[in-house]
Amino acid sequence: MLILIPLLLWGCAGASEVLVGQTGANYSQIQAAIDGSMPGDTIRVQSGVYKENVNINKPLNLIGVDSGNGRPLVNAGGSGSVITIAASNTTVQGFNITGSGGCGCGHSGIKVLSSNNLIMNNIIYKNKYGIYIEAAGANNTFVSNDLINNSITISDSGKNTSWDAGTRSGGLRGILDMISGPRVMGNHYSDYDEVGEGCNDTNNDLICDKPKVIGSSLDSYPSISATN
């Protein structure tokens, strides 16, 4: 699936790819790979359970890869935030994210302290906050994520956060999209996917008829079911 926004994957001349996995990889832990990488590198994380707190302190592409046993799981074990994005121009894609600490001070599945980041295709569940964006964050994009059974789904103190984007499919669907225009995609929220929570789908397009209000922003296309 291609997201039609200009920051799908960040990169620069001379950027390298680094592999994280249990065997035959450059690193066995995500944080060690981040510490050993250069700005603009792509870190691909294979299937497995990674019990750690991840701090992205330089612009990177952190990509989860299903290498045969499902998407990689990052579990903070009940301490702090699972993934903290401290550097701008970062992509985080394709992870299961759980196990933040329980502090209302911002312990979260994904904590954002920076700007111009893309967070997509993640399953974020059973954290204190699913997503926590501090005031310093601006122009961040979240699309096609599943936020499930977090104590607080989202806290957004940032600026110009985008919770939806145009998408284009492959194959026959892609040909139809070329004719009718790209589809749109938001995120799925377990606290906004039923009629009793305000999500109606009268035209059966699998998108709630009304946007989900998130602070001063909107997800105009919240999904009624899991997107990953």
Side-chain angles (χ1 to χ4, degrees), residues 49 71-75 82 95-100 108-110 122-131 146-151 190:
V49 178
R71 64 176 60 219
L73 167 65
V74 188
N75 189 335
V82 187
F95 291 90
N96 289 347
I97 299 168
T98 193
S100 81
S108 49
I110 294 182
N122 301 289
I123 301 174
I124 306 166
Y125 65 99
K126 293 185 179 179
N127 301 284
K128 177 63 176 180
Y129 293 88
I131 294 169
D146 294 308
L147 291 108
I148 302 171
N149 296 333
N150 299 286
S151 298
S190 64

Side-chain angles (χ1 to χ4, degrees), residues 1-191:
M1 180 180 291
L2 176 65
I3 303 300
L4 299 181
I5 48 182
L7 60 161
L8 175 60
L9 289 177
W10 300 98
C12 61
S16 300
E17 286 204 1
V18 176
L19 185 64
V20 178
Q22 307 306 310
T23 58
N26 303 106
Y27 297 92
S28 61
Q29 293 292 307
I30 299 170
Q31 190 61 52
I34 292 171
D35 294 342
S37 296
M38 298 296 292
D41 283 355
T42 294
I43 299 174
R44 299 192 183 277
V45 182
Q46 295 181 330
S47 303
V49 178
Y50 299 88
K51 297 180 179 180
E52 53 183 311
N53 300 93
V54 174
N55 181 29
I56 305 174
N57 53 16
K58 62 191 75 169
L60 295 167
N61 303 309
L62 186 64
I63 311 297
V65 178
D66 183 350
S67 55
N69 292 304
R71 64 176 60 219
L73 167 65
V74 188
N75 189 335
S79 175
S81 292
V82 187
I83 296 177
T84 299
I85 304 176
S88 297
N89 302 326
T90 288
T91 296
V92 176
Q93 176 182 352
F95 291 90
N96 289 347
I97 299 168
T98 193
S100 81
C103 177
C105 57
H107 288 175
S108 49
I110 294 182
K111 187 172 187 177
V112 181
L113 316 178
S114 54
S115 301
N116 302 314
N117 301 300
L118 172 60
I119 297 90
M120 63 180 292
N121 297 124
N122 301 289
I123 301 174
I124 306 166
Y125 65 99
K126 293 185 179 179
N127 301 284
K128 177 63 176 180
Y129 293 88
I131 294 169
Y132 189 94
I133 307 171
E134 293 201 347
N139 304 314
N140 293 296
T141 298
F142 297 81
V143 63
S144 194
N145 299 289
D146 294 308
L147 291 108
I148 302 171
N149 296 333
N150 299 286
S151 298
I152 302 169
T153 303
I154 295 169
S155 174
D156 182 6
S157 298
K159 303 176 183 66
N160 300 321
T161 306
S162 175
W163 297 100
D164 50 65
T167 66
R168 190 178 297 280
S169 306
L172 177 60
R173 179 69 253 180
I175 295 172
L176 295 175
D177 285 347
M178 292 176 66
I179 299 171
S180 61
R183 294 178 299 129
V184 288
M185 179 67 72
N187 301 276
H188 168 239
Y189 312 88
S190 64
D191 63 350

